Amino acid sequence: MLGSYSQPNNKALFGWVLVAKDLSPPNTINGTLKKPIDYSLIWTSENLGIKQDSNVYVWTPAAPDGYKAVGHVVTTSADKPALNKVMCVRIDLTDQCEKNSVIWNGPNGINFFEARPSNRGTQSPSVQVGTFVAQYVNATGPLTISCLKNTKSIASSMPNVQQIEAIVKAYSPIMYLHPHEEFLPSSVNWFFSNGALLFTRGNESNPVAIAQNGTNLPQDPNNDGAFWLDLPADAANKDRVKKGNLESARSYIHVKPMLGGTFSDIAMWVFYPFNGPARAKVDFFNINLGKIGEHVGDWEHVTLRVSNFNGELWQMYFSQHSHGQWVEASQLEFQSGNNNNKPVVYSSLHGHASYPHAGLVLQGTSNIGVRNDTDSSNIVMDLGLHDLVSAEYLGSQVVEPPWLNYFREWGPKVDYDIDDELKKVAKALPGRLRSLLDKVVKSLPSEVLGEEGPTGPKVKNNWNGDEV
């Protein structure tokens, strides 16, 4: 045992915590694991005065020199735990931890957090133990517990192509678009073959058609504003391509190691030719925001986090404009029927942000903000229809399409005056509400405002790092 597990008590028991076995030869002086030399009591519930099954005592192991504790110990006795209750880990096999999501904000300044590695890039060896951090609000300095470090090859624990296909077949989400959605996804090649154009700065009057798979797109890893994509030039084709083509749509899958190779992140990217105008809620008013939010080329994604120990789905990430949210598998909504391993995704109206449940999410305050409306409908995309476009650890087994290595914008920069647009749409609002709407809209990231042309998947920070 390396440490105890903790989670909120308002949801079903769901989680994991690693255990370890010392494989050092007999009589090794500095083996992989050592017993702590003592414990210090960090918190107890005995004076809370609330109904509880028993008093709880949270202890921090005192590690011997050259070793680190990687978890707290929880007991129901005021007596210190036995020294062989948990083991500490040799320091070269540990890495720095940080606090993540809150488990419980306790009384008198004690808080409980999920512990996770500070460094979570695709090449990071840091491993999440599954333990927690107990810390007072006035605590300073580094955390008293550490994470683990994988000193072996990260790639060796990752799935091969056949295993990736099995994972996708088992867990690929079903995405519901809003019943009033006008701007649907399409395949990248449908976009190219239906008149999408490549523009070059300084030669804007001579755009060129884009070849299948983007073989004539610039391939250097720069985003200097010298090139961008746009819709067809003629009005009829432009309006048609804006609406997308659901029949051709498929997800584009990037598989990457995470948390020292103990998990595989299956990022499933979806392309929309056009992002529609934003809508706002201001008290009882619903307002279309004109050009605000519109842009060509919209990339959205969800990510499945699958355990490399047993192939189980543990979490799912929903991208939402400039941020997103992780949801544990136990809290996901699943497609009814025989395919009950299939999580459900709801794509927001016009903005295409991903959400785990249907309803309204406001970007702003409780009654004023940009609307993200989701609902079930007959407009459905099966993300299991896919192309595996990247898995760097597999080398030449997965060939990346040229369009994936196009690092410039997938749409032109949109030139409009936000103040003018707000004046047009907010005429019917009282003065106080106008100023509040103005403040909320101007605080939104450029991805929501639609001013800058969006970049492709490989330019995003999460390509080589963790989801933000």
Side-chain angles (χ1 to χ4, degrees):
M1 179 174 167
L2 296 174
S4 297
Y5 171 79
S6 177
Q7 70 167 59
N9 64 358
N10 59 355
K11 59 183 180 182
L13 180 64
F14 180 84
W16 54 271
V17 62
L18 297 182
V19 295
K21 184 176 182 180
D22 195 338
L23 298 178
S24 305
N27 302 319
T28 301
I29 296 175
N30 294 315
T32 301
L33 306 175
K34 271 191 179 180
K35 294 182 289 188
I37 58 176
D38 198 5
Y39 293 95
S40 59
L41 180 65
I42 188 170
W43 181 78
T44 177
S45 66
E46 65 182 10
N47 296 318
L48 284 187
I50 62 172
K51 182 181 178 182
Q52 51 185 331
D53 295 333
S54 64
N55 292 329
V56 165
Y57 301 83
V58 180
W59 308 85
T60 301
D65 288 343
Y67 289 77
K68 292 273 192 179
V70 295
H72 296 294
V73 180
V74 179
T75 67
T76 56
S77 168
D79 298 329
K80 287 185 179 182
L83 293 181
N84 63 357
K85 176 72 173 176
V86 295
M87 300 297 275
C88 300
V89 181
R90 202 173 61 217
I91 196 168
D92 62 302
L93 299 174
T94 66
D95 216 338
Q96 184 176 342
C97 258
E98 68 180 20
K99 297 177 292 187
N100 188 23
S101 54
V102 174
I103 297 171
W104 184 47
N105 289 321
N108 304 319
I110 186 70
N111 295 317
F112 293 78
F113 302 90
E114 177 190 53
R116 69 176 182 182
S118 300
N119 184 0
R120 299 180 305 283
T122 57
Q123 301 305 310
S124 170
S126 300
V127 173
Q128 188 166 339
V129 184
T131 51
F132 66 94
V133 177
Q135 189 177 60
Y136 285 91
V137 291
N138 58 355
T140 58
L143 298 183
T144 56
I145 68 168
S146 298
C147 289
L148 293 175
K149 181 188 291 184
N150 180 7
T151 60
K152 306 295 184 182
S153 166
I154 292 176
S156 65
S157 61
M158 293 294 291
N160 59 33
V161 172
Q162 292 75 24
Q163 290 168 328
I164 292 171
E165 294 299 329
I167 292 168
V168 173
K169 183 178 180 180
Y171 301 127
S172 55
I174 302 297
M175 184 171 73
Y176 288 94
L177 292 108
H178 194 276
H180 299 143
E181 183 60 70
E182 308 157 68
F183 307 107
L184 303 177
S186 77
S187 70
V188 169
N189 275 332
W190 182 91
F191 180 60
F192 292 163
S193 63
N194 279 269
L197 298 169
L198 172 65
F199 284 78
T200 305
R201 187 174 58 200
N203 193 25
E204 290 86 350
S205 60
N206 294 300
V208 298
I210 304 170
Q212 285 291 283
N213 289 317
T215 53
N216 61 333
L217 294 174
Q219 296 291 289
D220 55 307
N222 297 305
N223 185 15
D224 51 10
F227 301 92
W228 63 92
L229 308 187
D230 205 349
L231 298 166
D234 60 295
N237 265 335
K238 180 179 290 187
D239 288 341
R240 179 179 63 83
V241 173
K242 270 186 180 182
K243 295 177 181 178
N245 180 264
L246 188 60
E247 290 74 20
S248 71
R250 52 205 304 106
S251 66
Y252 298 100
I253 290 180
H254 173 217
V255 184
K256 59 182 180 176
M258 195 52 60
L259 302 175
T262 54
F263 286 86
S264 293
D265 273 11
I266 316 291
M268 311 184 80
W269 293 87
V270 177
F271 176 72
Y272 298 79
F274 193 74
N275 194 93
R279 300 164 68 243
K281 179 180 184 296
V282 185
D283 275 351
F284 300 108
F285 298 91
N286 290 311
I287 300 171
N288 292 319
L289 292 179
K291 294 180 180 179
I292 295 173
E294 290 187 345
H295 61 79
V296 175
D298 185 23
W299 280 103
E300 302 292 344
H301 77 284
V302 295
T303 297
L304 305 174
R305 179 157 288 177
V306 176
S307 170
N308 287 339
F309 288 107
N310 56 17
E312 289 187 16
L313 175 66
W314 280 103
Q315 288 179 304
M316 184 168 169
Y317 181 81
F318 297 79
S319 68
Q320 297 157 0
H321 307 303
S322 60
H323 62 283
Q325 66 180 120
W326 281 107
V327 178
E328 290 183 347
S330 64
Q331 305 300 301
L332 293 171
E333 181 179 331
F334 287 86
Q335 181 78 348
S336 60
N338 294 329
N339 294 323
N340 56 8
N341 275 338
K342 306 283 188 180
V344 171
V345 182
Y346 294 94
S347 175
S348 67
L349 178 64
H350 290 180
H352 307 140
S354 302
Y355 291 93
H357 304 290
L360 169 63
V361 176
L362 278 183
Q363 278 185 273
T365 63
S366 59
N367 62 342
I368 298 178
V370 172
R371 296 183 65 103
N372 290 281
D373 290 280
T374 60
D375 202 354
S376 59
S377 73
N378 294 323
I379 313 174
V380 180
M381 179 179 174
D382 181 357
L383 300 191
L385 300 172
H386 70 279
D387 291 338
L388 176 60
V389 296
S390 185
E392 291 94 340
Y393 68 91
L394 288 174
S396 60
Q397 294 181 58
V398 179
V399 178
E400 297 182 349
W403 60 259
L404 187 61
N405 290 294
Y406 169 70
F407 278 63
R408 271 71 172 209
E409 280 92 355
W410 283 69
K413 181 177 181 179
V414 179
D415 292 316
Y416 64 84
D417 189 305
I418 293 180
D419 289 321
D420 287 345
E421 292 299 313
L422 285 171
K423 286 177 183 175
K424 293 176 188 176
V425 301
K427 291 177 181 178
L429 293 176
R432 180 184 66 85
L433 295 182
R434 273 187 228 169
S435 62
L436 289 173
L437 176 64
D438 181 88
K439 183 177 180 181
V440 167
V441 170
K442 288 183 177 178
S443 69
L444 296 174
S446 59
E447 291 182 22
V448 180
L449 294 174
E451 294 174 291
E452 299 289 340
T455 51
K458 223 172 188 181
V459 186
K460 312 297 186 186
N461 291 334
N462 67 300
W463 186 266
N464 291 313
D466 197 3
E467 302 287 357
V468 179

